[in-house]
């Protein structure tokens, strides 16, 4: 067996991006493949008469793949704040910051939005000639569709886009984060955000009879601010050569296992899973920085390649999974198992995304750097 090698400290973020997008892709593939989960009464899972298929559906690692969104948020919070700290002057150049963010995010997003909105006649008519369709298109173009209580708008063009809108909204309030964290200290500010977050969950639980009425009540920037801020807090501690969470790889693995088992208490899990994922991934990022994991070079390079084009993969993957799987099954349903089918679909998505990364993302990033007056490579 080939000996593993330590991952360089900041290169680990491309590896983690690769893991995050594989998790998200796996989750969306998984929910299209299973239709029976362990039954529950809303509070606890019931294991009476449970089948192996139901256990697999509920406790497969792929069923937890949506946590990849939390990992992306932690990575984003870390890198955005770490770049600010590296400048060393304690000042945020608003113009430069938003120019770089706009050209990093929006041009690829705009092209993909327009493609999925108008790629066939039916969707074109919907988005041009119906009130709901026009509203869906406009809110997607302005990246506020995650605030809509209408599921047709929320999920309309591409169900994954809600988290991209969320990310942009977190960029918009980053200057506020800097002001407040600078006044009272980043640790204290993050503690306040955590208390507000937990208090809001209690209020939603008590006022909504156990669950929110609309997804928009849980997918706006205020709900996820503490999770993004956790990444920024890790960056602050790393910049000042301090350690926030002292935990070993064994200890982290035990916490991850406890998180998985918490799903037995399903209603509790629904409410606290986001914040627990944020804590786990904040600890994971810090652990990777202080104790870089050993990994086979070929596997590391594969994850880095996936991580580099993870944004393009995220942009296009969810709407094309089912059509590509159906096409592969039609081509030769006797040869491909479901897992091989999924791997082939990911391979196709990766190749398209790599092209988008090279010919769409990179030129757009360079325009942003030029307009912002920055020569930094990343």
């Amino acid at each position: 067996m080939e000996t593993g090698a330590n991952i360089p400290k900041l290169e680990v973020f491309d590896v983690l991006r690769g893991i995050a997008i594989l998790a998200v892709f796996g989750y969306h593939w998984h929910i299209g493949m299973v239709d029976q989960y362990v039954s529950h009464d809303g509070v606890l899972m019931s294991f009476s008469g449970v089948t192996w298929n139901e256990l697999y559906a509920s406790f497969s690692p792929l069923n937890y793949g949506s946590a990849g969104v939390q990992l992306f948020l932690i990575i984003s919070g870390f890198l955005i704040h770490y770049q600010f700290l590296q400048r060393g002057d304690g000042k945020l150049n608003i113009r430069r910051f938003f120019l770089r963010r706009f050209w990093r995010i929006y041009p690829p997003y705009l092209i993909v939005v327009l493609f999925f909105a108008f790629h066939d006649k039916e969707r074109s008519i919907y988005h041009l000639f119906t009130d709901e369709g026009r509203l869906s298109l406009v809110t997607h173009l302005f990246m506020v569709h995650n605030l809509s209580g209408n599921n047709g708008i929320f999920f309309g063009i591409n169900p994954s886009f809600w988290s991209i809108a969320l990310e942009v909204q977190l960029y918009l309030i980053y200057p506020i984060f800097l002001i407040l964290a600078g006044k009272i200290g980043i640790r204290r500010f993050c503690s306040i955000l955590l208390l507000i977050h937990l208090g809001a969950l209690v209020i939603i639980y008590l006022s909504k009879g156990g669950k929110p009425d609309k997804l928009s009540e849980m997918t706006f920037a205020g709900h996820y601010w503490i999770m993004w801020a956790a990444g920024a807090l890790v960056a602050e501690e790393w910049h000042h050569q301090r350690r926030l969470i002292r935990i070993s790889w064994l200890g982290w693995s035990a916490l991850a296992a406890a998180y998985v088992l918490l799903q037995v208490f399903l209603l509790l899990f629904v409410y606290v899973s986001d914040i627990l994922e944020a804590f786990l991934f904040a600890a994971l990022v810090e652990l990777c920085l202080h104790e870089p994991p050993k990994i086979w070079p070929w596997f590391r390079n594969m994850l880095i390649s996936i991580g580099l084009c993870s944004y393009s993969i995220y942009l296009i993957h969810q709407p094309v999974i089912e059509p590509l799987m159906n096409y592969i099954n039609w081509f030769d349903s006797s040869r491909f198992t479901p897992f091989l089918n999924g791997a082939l679909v990911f391979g196709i998505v990766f190749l398209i995304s790599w092209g988008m990364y090279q010919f769409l993302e990179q030129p757009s990033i360079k325009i942003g750097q030029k307009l912002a007056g920055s020569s930094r490579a990343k």
Side-chain angles (χ1 to χ4, degrees):
M1 182 178 294
E2 187 176 8
T3 302
N6 283 331
I7 304 173
K9 289 189 171 21
L10 292 184
E11 187 183 83
V12 77
F13 288 100
D14 286 327
V15 173
L16 290 173
R17 283 193 187 105
I19 293 171
I21 194 60
L22 283 171
V24 171
F25 178 91
Y27 173 74
H28 289 141
W29 174 84
H30 179 262
I31 60 178
M33 295 298 297
V34 299
D35 56 5
Q36 289 186 328
Y37 296 85
V38 175
S39 61
H40 59 88
D41 59 6
V43 177
L44 286 171
M45 283 185 166
S46 172
F47 293 96
S48 176
V50 69
T51 67
W52 285 110
N53 285 340
E54 290 170 340
L55 285 173
Y56 162 76
S58 295
F59 291 97
S60 165
L62 296 177
N63 193 44
Y64 299 85
S66 59
V69 172
Q70 308 296 343
L71 181 51
F72 276 125
L73 290 176
I74 294 293
I75 292 170
S76 173
F78 182 100
L79 292 177
I80 293 296
H81 193 56
Y82 188 70
Q83 289 174 1
F84 166 77
L85 294 171
Q86 287 290 90
R87 295 186 62 84
D89 57 8
K91 298 178 181 179
L92 179 68
N93 186 313
I94 298 292
R95 174 182 174 276
R96 179 182 296 128
F97 176 75
F98 284 115
L99 273 174
R100 288 169 63 89
R101 291 297 90 205
F102 174 86
W103 287 96
R104 174 68 183 91
I105 296 294
Y106 199 74
Y109 170 82
L110 175 62
I111 290 173
V112 176
V113 164
L114 294 177
F115 173 80
F116 284 126
F118 299 108
H119 76 277
D120 62 34
K121 182 178 179 180
E122 181 179 350
R123 292 175 69 85
S124 298
I125 292 173
Y126 170 73
H127 287 110
L128 290 175
F129 300 109
T130 69
D131 291 339
E132 182 182 272
R134 286 193 294 265
L135 182 60
S136 176
L137 180 60
V138 170
T139 55
H140 275 79
L141 291 176
F142 284 94
M143 306 185 90
V144 293
H145 55 280
N146 63 314
L147 305 179
S148 172
N150 183 331
N151 284 350
I153 294 174
F154 189 98
F155 292 118
I157 294 178
N158 182 333
S160 296
F161 280 172
W162 72 268
S163 59
I164 299 175
L166 166 67
E167 180 85 12
V168 169
Q169 291 154 25
L170 290 167
Y171 293 154
L172 292 174
I173 61 177
Y174 180 56
I176 300 173
F177 173 87
L178 288 178
I179 293 170
L180 296 177
K183 287 186 177 295
I184 65 175
I186 189 170
R187 285 195 178 195
R188 185 174 297 175
F189 181 60
C190 286
S191 298
I192 292 172
L193 283 179
L194 177 60
L195 290 175
I196 293 173
H197 176 84
L198 295 176
L201 291 181
V202 172
I203 292 172
I204 290 174
Y205 175 78
L206 294 177
S207 63
K208 303 293 183 179
K211 60 181 180 180
D213 295 328
K214 302 173 183 177
L215 284 170
S216 57
E217 294 174 356
M218 303 287 282
T219 56
F220 66 105
H223 177 73
Y224 283 92
W225 202 5
I226 177 57
M227 302 159 203
W228 194 90
L233 177 57
V234 172
E236 185 93 17
E237 300 300 301
W238 169 252
H239 177 73
H240 293 293
Q241 299 182 349
R242 299 190 298 256
R243 190 156 183 178
L244 180 67
I245 306 168
R246 295 189 176 275
I247 190 171
S248 66
W249 281 101
L250 179 61
W252 187 88
S253 300
L255 288 177
Y259 158 79
V260 170
L261 293 176
L262 183 65
Q263 190 185 187
V264 171
F265 304 94
L266 194 61
L267 186 59
L268 175 64
F269 182 82
V270 168
Y271 272 87
V272 302
S273 59
D274 285 346
I275 193 64
L276 290 180
E277 289 160 5
F279 174 81
L280 279 172
F281 289 137
L284 176 64
V285 166
E286 190 172 62
L287 191 54
C288 288
L289 289 169
H290 288 276
E291 302 177 34
K294 288 187 176 182
I295 189 170
W296 295 302
W298 66 268
F299 189 52
R300 176 195 64 197
N301 293 335
M302 181 189 74
L303 289 175
I304 289 172
S305 296
I306 294 172
L308 286 173
C309 58
S310 57
Y311 180 51
S312 286
I313 295 174
Y314 197 90
L315 283 175
I316 69 171
H317 79 281
Q318 191 169 0
V320 304
I321 289 177
E322 184 176 355
L324 285 175
M325 288 185 66
N326 290 338
Y327 177 77
I328 292 172
N329 284 333
W330 172 83
F331 179 74
D332 193 342
S333 60
S334 63
R335 179 179 300 176
F336 301 122
T337 65
F339 283 101
L340 180 56
N341 187 308
L344 289 171
V345 170
F346 181 80
I348 295 170
V349 170
F350 171 76
L351 290 175
I352 297 171
S353 300
W354 185 256
M356 291 175 60
Y357 171 72
Q358 294 290 344
F359 301 109
L360 182 57
E361 286 190 59
Q362 286 295 300
S364 183
I365 290 170
K366 289 177 181 177
I367 291 173
Q369 291 171 345
K370 184 176 181 179
L371 293 174
S374 172
S375 61
R376 296 179 64 176
K378 277 193 175 183

